[in-house]
Amino acid sequence: MTKKKSSPVSLLDAALIKTALWGALAKLSPFVQWRNPVMFIVYIGSIFTTLLWLHALNAPEDASMRPAFVLAITVWLWFTVLFANFAEALAEGRSKAQAASLRGLRKETWAKKLKEPVHGAAFLPELATNLRRGDVVLVEAGDVIPLDGEVIEGVASVDESAITGESAPVVRESGGDFSAVTGGTRVLSDWLVVRVAVNPGESFLDRMIGMVEAAKRQKTPNEIALTILLVALTIVFLVVTVTLLPFSIFSVQASGAGTVVSLTALVDLLVCLIPTTIGGLLSAVGVAGMSRMMQANVIATSGRAVEAAGDVDVLLLDKTGTITHGNRQASAFLPAPGVSRARLARAALLASLADETPEGRSIVELARREGVQGQNPQGVKLVPFTAQTRMSGVDLPAGEGQPESAGTMLRKGAVLALAKHVEVLGGKMPQDVMSAADQVALRGSTPLAVADGNHVLGIVELKDIVKAGIKERFIELRRMGIKTVMITGDNKLTAAAIAAEAGVDDFLAEATPEDKLELIRKYQAEGRLVAMTGDGTNDAPALAQADVAVAMGSGTQAAKEAGNMVDLDSNPTKLLEVVETGKALLMTRGSLTTFSIANDVAKYFAIVPAIFVSTYPQLSALNVMQLASPSSAILSAVIFNALVIVFLIPLALRGVRYRPVGAAALLRRNLAIYGLGGLLVPFVGIKLIDWILVAVGLI
């Protein structure tokens, strides 16, 4: 099976860069700049130095610096604002490109609206835009599914490549966890009767477009907290800078030497000392986080969900389909003493007729392979499988001449659930059958018991296989400080065997929807952030309760609405990637913040000696970079301050690579690379710019 995902839009894409450049200019509006307090200060400073330049042109004798120098400072301050705008516009442009590709999937579609919700009923052609929730449509081979819905009849292969990027078709059928279909996908074979689950404009595709639109992005709590910190630092440096002017006037008067620091130099100092680097890239990092989720084929309803994924410390994972391959197949019939294999097989087949799960179908197939002919007898009452009862079955009518009470109740389900059912009817689970179930569970398989009334007939063995490499993933998560909990409806012995093989930290066996909900609340009461996946309607309450809830794209509409993320690939193990992406987002933001703050140290050594050396010659000792002149030092610092934003745009958009190590190791690595790097790079960069300015004669 090949995966043909659309590659992410390149940063060097000409159309994207052109759009971002125009976007950078459009964002010069004060109403836009106001949303970023740090860059708003730079914006005001740019306007102020522009006015100072105009003043210097008209009254050069009043200016302590040449008009050309003031102009150079002004130009680079405007570049700083534009580069920050460009970074945000570039991130938004990538998201909008993704949204545009999704919009291309929306076409005017005609649907076959059925008069009755059954195959073969008469239908009328109807535009998809005129359909409403609850309408039933027929979709045949070659037709496009008009809107999101649930398959209520039929089975067909569906091409979902336009949505998921997966080239191989998928099977959608009534019942089970693969009954959901997405509007805009195409049926390749057979037919489906679909009940529309949404109104026009509310489809999954519409939601996807809205989710990836950067314009609709809201700041996350961590982003808001960081913004407050940056604003606080900006206010501190603003106060410091303002006090330097009267200090300079007093110093010149007291010493009788030197010149008063210029307003241009003070603005330059302020811009260089406030955290402009992270301030200019903060929004781009948030937008890029959403975009990276999209590239992983995960749609996040908000940045809050992406961010929360980075703080998750408990993962709840379904066994079937996540830890194991999920294709549990009936492999053997183990009859109770005194019961023939054929009788057990026939009872299991009939009890599985109402079970639309893959496991139920595999039991039917195994029984038929063993020669059992099972057709729906007349007058039967099917009892479908539910997560609450954990059983399915059929009620057979009484034979001719027998009282109605003589009817047969065939049931198949989890061993403990069936044991309770038998006890209610006055029977008892045989010890030999319990022992056989335990042996099956110890092998890592799943035992299902079959009963005829209050008489237990035997065990059906379902085999499941742990996915390759999953144990190593759990070891990585453990190093990340994340606890993994396996959730399964299997009995405790089976769950323990699979949990030991997979290497999870804990497990919840014989889980009901209520058990899942209770477990999530328990961990949250301990102050933990919980993430889980789900695809069924019975998962919806737990998904709604979890801090990070990833619903499968193939799952039910209820699950999608309850989750705050949707995995288009319907791969439950994607939760691991979601957590890593969330952590990478937090690491990117933290690394850039560290780098930005560390930058200020070098700029201090460049600018402070330059503006005060005429009054206090002793400050020349702080000129460790040996910059050519005060003017060169000030201009080199502001140029570096602008250019560093450009060089960090790829890092902001692609993110810092996450490594599954402990928090202490991550902190040491962050300080070593971005802390120490933030200290050293400006020294090198400012000195290099100084050499260039001197070489070309601009200073």
Side-chain angles (χ1 to χ4, degrees):
M1 185 180 296
T2 59
K3 192 82 168 176
K4 293 184 179 179
K5 284 187 182 179
S6 58
S7 57
V9 181
S10 172
L11 293 179
L12 299 178
D13 184 84
L16 185 59
I17 291 178
K18 182 180 178 181
T19 304
L21 288 172
W22 282 111
L25 293 173
K27 290 178 179 293
L28 289 177
S29 167
F31 300 102
V32 176
Q33 293 297 315
W34 173 252
R35 297 202 298 262
N36 190 334
V38 176
M39 296 311 300
F40 185 69
I41 294 295
V42 183
Y43 179 75
I44 295 297
S46 303
I47 296 174
F48 187 60
T49 56
T50 303
L51 297 175
L52 289 176
W53 172 66
L54 294 174
H55 174 74
L57 288 176
N58 297 324
E61 67 277 6
D62 296 331
S64 60
M65 293 188 177
R66 292 177 292 121
F69 178 80
V70 180
L71 176 61
I73 294 292
T74 301
V75 169
W76 282 103
L77 287 180
W78 280 115
F79 275 157
T80 304
V81 176
L82 286 170
F83 289 157
N85 290 349
F86 177 77
E88 184 177 3
L90 192 61
E92 291 177 356
R94 298 179 80 195
S95 294
K96 288 177 180 177
Q98 292 172 331
S101 66
L102 293 173
R103 283 195 191 92
L105 301 177
R106 293 194 300 193
K107 300 176 182 177
E108 188 176 88
T109 303
W110 284 90
K112 301 170 183 174
K113 183 179 178 181
L114 294 172
K115 293 183 177 181
E116 300 290 336
V118 292
H119 182 252
F123 64 83
L124 293 173
E126 187 71 75
L127 275 173
T129 52
N130 295 332
L131 295 175
R132 291 296 180 267
R133 183 194 300 262
D135 289 342
V136 179
V137 298
L138 172 66
V139 191
E140 298 176 303
D143 293 345
V144 174
I145 297 172
L147 287 171
D148 299 353
E150 300 282 342
V151 179
I152 61 175
E153 190 178 351
V155 56
S157 58
V158 181
D159 178 13
E160 296 185 345
S161 59
I163 303 292
T164 66
E166 180 65 65
S167 59
V170 296
V171 176
R172 292 290 177 259
E173 55 190 333
S174 60
D177 296 331
F178 299 96
S179 61
V181 290
T182 304
T185 57
R186 185 179 298 275
V187 174
L188 298 179
S189 67
D190 302 294
W191 54 267
L192 297 172
V193 176
V194 178
R195 178 176 284 113
V196 177
V198 297
N199 293 319
E202 301 173 359
S203 70
F204 185 55
L205 188 59
D206 292 307
R207 290 175 61 199
M208 287 169 61
I209 294 170
M211 293 170 193
V212 298
E213 283 282 13
K216 298 183 179 181
R217 191 185 73 91
Q218 295 181 341
K219 289 186 177 181
T220 63
N222 278 345
E223 191 173 348
I224 292 172
L226 182 56
T227 300
I228 293 172
L229 172 63
L230 298 180
V231 170
L233 290 174
T234 301
I235 292 173
V236 170
F237 285 120
L238 180 61
V239 172
V240 170
T241 305
V242 169
T243 60
L244 287 179
L245 181 59
F247 175 77
S248 176
I249 295 173
F250 171 80
S251 300
V252 171
Q253 292 175 348
S255 64
T259 57
V260 176
V261 62
S262 70
L263 294 177
T264 303
L266 287 178
V267 172
D268 183 61
L269 177 65
L270 173 63
V271 170
C272 288
L273 292 187
I274 63 176
T276 52
T277 305
I278 182 61
L281 297 173
L282 187 59
S283 181
V285 171
V287 175
M290 299 282 288
S291 182
R292 285 198 296 275
M293 279 294 184
M294 182 61 187
Q295 291 167 21
N297 263 15
V298 176
I299 304 298
T301 58
S302 68
R304 184 187 296 266
V306 180
E307 194 170 84
D311 290 326
V312 160
D313 48 14
V314 177
L315 286 184
L316 303 185
L317 303 137
D318 277 333
K319 175 182 79 75
T320 306
T322 305
I323 296 172
T324 64
H325 283 286
N327 298 320
R328 292 190 302 181
Q329 300 292 313
S331 60
F333 293 116
L334 307 174
V339 178
S340 69
R341 187 182 180 92
R343 182 185 176 188
L344 171 60
R346 176 170 174 76
L349 183 149
L350 292 174
S352 301
L353 292 176
D355 186 357
E356 293 292 335
T357 64
E359 293 86 352
R361 293 192 180 99
S362 74
I363 294 173
V364 174
E365 291 174 5
L366 178 62
R368 288 175 174 166
R369 285 201 303 269
E370 296 198 1
V372 177
Q373 299 299 319
Q375 295 181 350
N376 289 358
Q378 295 295 323
V380 302
K381 179 184 177 184
L382 298 177
V383 181
F385 175 86
T386 66
Q388 285 73 25
T389 64
R390 298 170 59 224
M391 292 188 302
S392 67
V394 63
D395 293 341
L396 301 178
E400 219 176 291
Q402 293 181 315
E404 190 175 337
S405 59
T408 303
M409 296 174 55
L410 298 177
R411 295 291 185 271
K412 173 235 38 183
V415 175
L416 291 183
L418 198 84
K420 292 179 181 178
H421 168 75
V422 170
E423 289 174 3
V424 170
L425 298 178
K428 187 178 180 181
M429 178 69 72
Q431 188 59 44
D432 290 342
V433 176
M434 289 296 297
S435 298
D438 291 343
Q439 291 299 317
V440 170
L442 288 172
R443 293 196 292 270
S445 299
T446 301
L448 296 179
V450 182
D452 182 350
N454 63 1
H455 182 52
V456 179
L457 301 179
I459 296 293
V460 180
E461 181 176 356
L462 302 178
K463 284 188 176 180
D464 205 350
I465 302 172
V466 174
K467 291 182 177 180
I470 197 73
K471 189 171 185 177
E472 288 72 19
R473 297 296 298 273
F474 289 145
I475 292 174
E476 291 180 4
L477 290 170
R478 198 171 293 113
R479 288 205 298 266
M480 294 158 57
I482 297 174
K483 181 178 181 179
T484 54
V485 182
M486 182 185 76
I487 299 176
T488 177
D490 294 337
N491 62 56
K492 292 183 179 180
L493 286 174
T494 302
I498 298 294
E501 185 179 353
V504 296
D505 298 314
D506 201 358
F507 65 89
L508 177 66
E510 300 170 356
T512 63
E514 293 78 15
D515 294 333
K516 296 178 186 179
L517 193 60
E518 184 180 349
L519 183 64
I520 292 173
R521 287 172 175 169
K522 174 190 171 186
Y523 282 122
Q524 289 174 333
E526 297 173 358
R528 300 190 177 207
L529 287 181
V530 181
M532 76 165 290
T533 61
D535 56 6
T537 302
N538 63 304
D539 293 324
L543 288 171
Q545 182 66 35
D547 300 288
V548 177
V550 183
M552 301 295 101
S554 62
T556 62
Q557 195 68 24
K560 291 180 185 178
E561 291 176 356
N564 47 30
M565 294 187 189
V566 178
D567 176 24
L568 303 180
D569 296 330
S570 299
N571 177 12
T573 58
K574 189 67 70 65
L575 185 58
L576 306 180
E577 292 182 39
V578 168
V579 171
E580 291 178 357
T581 302
K583 288 188 175 294
L585 172 63
L586 295 176
M587 286 179 56
T588 302
R589 195 177 288 148
S591 299
L592 290 177
T593 302
T594 303
F595 185 88
S596 179
I597 294 174
N599 265 333
D600 293 343
V601 176
K603 298 170 192 173
Y604 177 87
F605 279 97
I607 299 176
V608 172
I611 62 179
F612 288 111
V613 71
S614 62
T615 306
Y616 300 103
Q618 299 86 346
L619 288 176
S620 60
L622 295 178
N623 185 16
V624 295
M625 288 177 277
Q626 297 297 305
L627 302 176
S629 67
S631 297
S632 177
I634 295 171
L635 185 56
S636 298
V638 77
I639 292 175
F640 175 84
N641 194 64
L643 292 179
V644 74
I645 295 177
V646 179
F647 287 112
L648 290 177
I649 287 176
L651 179 64
L653 298 186
R654 291 173 182 154
V656 175
R657 183 182 176 186
Y658 176 73
R659 301 176 186 273
V661 296
L666 280 176
L667 179 61
R668 287 194 298 269
R669 184 174 179 272
N670 183 58
L671 291 176
I673 297 177
Y674 298 98
L676 185 60
L679 284 173
L680 299 179
V681 169
F683 281 95
V684 177
I686 292 173
K687 181 61 180 177
L688 182 61
I689 295 171
D690 176 70
W691 280 341
I692 295 173
L693 292 176
V694 173
V696 299
L698 295 178
I699 297 295

